[in-house]
């Protein structure tokens, strides 16, 4: 059974950095397709970054491009989201998600495309 567990959230000041981790157990790496989403109060869940084993299939939302970096450590079965120059608008619950269908759409990540989810971790940025 695939299990995703996020960690690393917290309360920071604008301009600070934070790294989120997603420990992923039993994810078949040959069809690796994982993403970070976030959901702010009163807003829809937004796909902000995706990483796939398919060359070139890396995605960043415009709102985080140049500030956030998605990466993975295969040995640790962990997905990361390095977040730099955080802004108040980055305040949200952050979720990691896995698409185990093998499709891994190259367009903007949407929640319906992802089959497995973590429980989320809160990030609060004070201005």
């Amino acid at each position: 059974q695939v299990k995703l567990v996020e960690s690393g959230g917290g309360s920071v000041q604008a301009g600070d950095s934070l790294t989120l981790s997603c420990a992923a157990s039993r994810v078949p790496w040959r069809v690796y397709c994982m993403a970070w989403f976030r959901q702010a109060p009163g807003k829809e869940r937004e796909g902000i970054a995706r990483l796939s084993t398919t060359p070139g299939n890396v995605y960043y939302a415009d709102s985080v491009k140049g500030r956030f970096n998605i990466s993975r450590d295969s040995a640790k079965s962990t997905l990361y989201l390095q977040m730099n120059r955080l802004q108040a608008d980055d305040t949200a619950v952050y979720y990691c998600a896995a698409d185990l269908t093998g499709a891994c759409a190259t367009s903007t990540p949407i929640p319906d495309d992802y089959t497995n989810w973590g429980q989320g971790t809160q990030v609060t940025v004070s201005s």
Side-chain angles (χ1 to χ4, degrees), residues 27 31-35 50-53 57 97-100 103-105 114:
V27 171
V31 292
Y32 189 88
C33 179
M34 295 190 69
R50 177 185 60 242
L51 185 64
S52 165
T53 52
N57 189 0
D99 172 2
L100 302 183
C104 202
Y114 288 78

Side-chain angles (χ1 to χ4, degrees), residues 74-93:
S74 299
K76 296 181 180 179
S77 298
T78 301
L79 180 74
Y80 299 99
L81 185 68
Q82 171 70 40
M83 305 185 294
N84 301 314
R85 302 195 306 277
L86 283 161
Q87 306 166 358
D89 288 348
D90 295 320
T91 295
V93 178

